[in-house]
């Protein structure tokens, strides 16, 4: 049974380790180049991409359907207050 340096030299561990390091270095270099070129590529293909639509936005049928920012904030605060009050009551029962 061989131990130590003879075993390392016989099984070419140093060469295998060097090749593994080289493969990882090349892969990381390719990823880095891809990320560096991505903004330029996206700028070139942007005219061919569809525009983003926001399907979750709701359209109002009249001006009375819209809340002013102040009324909207009041509704949110009321909902939060109700939820906290409801949770506080359920804790004690």
């Amino acid at each position: 049974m061989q131990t130590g340096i003879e075993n390392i030299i016989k099984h070419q561990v140093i060469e295998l380790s060097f090749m593994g390091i080289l493969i990882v270095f090349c892969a990381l270099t390719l990823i880095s180049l891809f990320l560096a070129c991505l903004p330029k590529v996206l700028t070139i293909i942007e005219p061919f991409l569809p525009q983003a639509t926001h399907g979750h936005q709701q359209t109002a049928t009249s001006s009375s359907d819209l809340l002013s920012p102040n009324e909207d904030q009041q509704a949110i605060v009321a909902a939060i207050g109700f939820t906290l009050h409801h949770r506080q009551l359920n804790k004690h029962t």
Side-chain angles (χ1 to χ4, degrees), residues 36-54:
C37 294
L38 190 60
K40 295 174 186 173
V41 171
L42 289 176
T43 303
I44 293 170
I45 65 170
E46 184 180 15
F48 304 107
L49 298 175
Q51 294 295 322
T53 58
H54 300 287

Side-chain angles (χ1 to χ4, degrees), residues 58-66:
Q58 187 177 19
T59 58
T61 56
S62 68
S63 61
S64 64
D65 292 341
L66 295 175

Side-chain angles (χ1 to χ4, degrees), residues 73-83:
Q73 289 174 352
Q74 289 175 352
I76 292 171
V77 169
I80 292 171
F82 174 77
T83 304

